[in-house]
Amino acid sequence: MSAVRLKPLFHYCNREEKPRSLHRRSTNLSFSSSSSSYANNNYDKWPKLFSNFCKFKHHPRLCSIRASAAAETALVDTDASSGRLLFSETFQVKRVQKVEGKTSVRLDKKGDGGNYQLTVGCNLPGKWVLHWGVTYCGDFGREWDQPPPEMRPPGSIAIKDYAIETPLKKSSSVLEGRILYAVQIDINANSSIAAINFVLKEEEMGSWYQHRGRDFRVPLTGQLEEDGNTIRGNKGFSIWPGAFSQISSLLLKSEGSRPTGEKHVGDAKESQLQNKHVEGFYEECSFLKEELVQSFVTVSVTNNLKEDNTFVRFDTDLPGDVVVHWGVCRDGTKTWEIPPAPHPPETKVFRNKALQTLLKSNKDRDGSWGLFALDKQILGLVFVLKLNEYTWINNMGSDFYIPLTGKSSLPNPTSKSEHKQTFGTVTEPQEEQTGSGSTAEESQAVAHVAYTDGIINEIRNLVSDISSERSTKAKFKEAQQKILQEIEKLAAEAYSIFRSSSPTFLDEEPVSEPDEVLKPPVKICSGTGSGYEVLCQGFNWESHKSGRWYSVLNDKATDLSSLGFTVIWLPPPTDSVSPEGYMPRDLYNLNSRYGSLEELKALVNRFHEAGMKVLGDVVLNHRCAQYQNQNGIWNIFGGRLNWDDRAVVADDPHFQGRGNKSSGDNFHAAPNIDHSQDFVRNDLKEWLCWLREEIGYDGWRLDFARGFWGGYVKDYIDATEPYFAVGEYWDSLSYTYGEMDHNQDGHRQRIVDWINATNGTAGAFDVTTKGILHAALERCEYWRLSDQKGKPPGVVGWWPSRAVTFIENHDTGSTQGHWRFPSGKEMQGYAYILTHPGTPAVFYDHIFSHYQHEIKELIALRHRTKVHCRSTVKITKAERDVYAANIDEKVIMKIGPGHFEPPSGPHKWALAVEGRDYKVCLCQL
């Protein structure tokens, strides 16, 4: 049976050896959450169907394993009181228990000077942190700013340049009989602050209390009354109804503000200052907090002296209906089989691969028990426990294995290890291996990682041993793909159920080895490609000036294909206010500064003939209007999609939309489109499908992806089924006093959160990796290229199959030069991204430059060694002046001026590519 090794969530308990006839141990269980259906790898060598899904940010302490089918059975009731005890083992398990608490928000006047004090409190114990910022008068976007220093309570820590975090401290107050943990913020009545924005974070569990990024907001000025979330009324404060984790915002209405219709642009600023009168209030609401509770599972094996069989006894204090999903093995390979009948009464067969038996409830105490009778010829029993439709328990990522001959259930250290899947560390699928255990050294390492800060991501797509079947026929591969696609649908369903906070996941679906590198046989899921793509950005910021860019690229199609590129990203094709195409107007008008509609169709066809896929650059966040409304505001659109101001978000003050509040950050140069409107989404899906059919695009590059929720992206991708899709989610990295922080987990987490919101159907540009490469190469600080867990520090270290790595593009380089890569060190950057996992993207200006030959050699090496987006990385050196890594045990690379030589050993390494301050070696067996 397949097993996914998860990072243990708690330390191993001490094991105590007993006499040979009785082996008793105490072991920790992984408790993991998953979005895919459960199946067995060793049954006819089907792929593993485990996929991990973490609900919490930072500390991935809880997870569960998702199953697609529920089977409830009755248990055999057999007397096994007489016999010899061969084996007994107790496993400690941490389960989740929900506790109801209260949170309070209070605003009080402080003295006679008109100042105020805001108090936010919680009556449940925990490491509570208020993550907060302010909005200043005149800034009505969704951006936060840091409060002035005099407003920050003691112990506050700056988060980038937009927020701070302040711990809640135990206070003398009591709320519903419980001690209150609170933080107090002093507010100066004469300041220009219009609102306080915050979310609550519980660091011990890593839970964030917010709703899809909708921040709690306490407005301090009547000018913010136009906010779509404001609750109107005579009282000074009102709260959105519902559980705390579901509240969109806390909104305070100021006194004496004018009705919306009476406001005038000319006196808006004056109105903000005059209407800044708040009244005291106190509100509280309920919420649910998840806590860890320890339980146990004991398994005992007894040899029946009267009959030729063995009894296996299960005892557990886990609540509710506990189902044992089990099978047996007859040899040392731990391969699952269904035992011959008779089976325990009412046992159900799961897909002809395993049995599912319901344990009996204890009458005198909590928990349940069960007793199985097995033939003595059976050597072992393998199982996992199912608590409900979405929660499974395994043994630290592996299947439980119980020997029926009195030997230890610990994995055989001489057997090959199952591939591992851990939170915070991703080990990609290797060739198929047997056994389900880990060595003591591996266990110690995994246990250590469990206590470091966890990694946040959403639904982990599939982990499988499909790569072990590289020599199988295409028919079998197609069957595998159908299974994977079915699992992905189940994963999406599970994700929608569990998304009550910002989930995090870090694992990958497997890559099917292509017969030809440039022509992958079968895509795994919509928007993710085959895993072997190398992307070319086919333009720069000046490309529109020729007026015939499509013709220029047409002549270069063969050259780009021969360089090893498999996908090309073309510029925005639509009619646009700006010549570069990023201010679209009439979406169906594809006569742009780059060329005509007919030239574009011919270009796409030319690249297809050259064996390359083509991505269209689509701008979905905003659109330029063609007409003014009665107030002179440009928010009426023309062309085939003749929308009115209902298509514009309501919280963009520049364009006075009548839609809903934006689900992302506003782009203030053009009206931001409200994707929550059904007619908008339907029109955009129809347009994207038209581009796919009429032009022949194979996928999308999504501009300004932070402007709208990733769930809408999933809707568009599901409708258009692209081969590959990548979003531009770009925000600032973390700096302290102008110095880039070593830990950029917050930055890459935001990118991963957006990918999570798309349910993994799209990737994102790995801005984190680019920024860290900047600092490492420019300042000769190559130690930055390893995170606290010894993994690549960008998105590629957490979710490589969705990370599109790059060092330059039309915005950062070219003639714009907003964030230019360190000059003269570009090839070190390409040596990094073209040898590492992720999908590398190469900028047009670098392709047609003196770097072309070196880039071609690195791309050829990547194809030759079959490095792909989920390849494994072992960082062997990350010091001041040198970085070195081993990729898939096939490639060793180093960048930096420092010295590094491949290690001596059974592998022989030969220099393959080298240049200024970089070398790449290949394994010579």
Side-chain angles (χ1 to χ4, degrees), residues 166-180:
T166 306
L168 275 65
K169 297 181 180 180
K170 185 184 296 186
S171 71
S172 57
S173 302
V174 175
L175 178 61
E176 292 198 347
R178 295 173 179 167
I179 295 176
L180 189 68

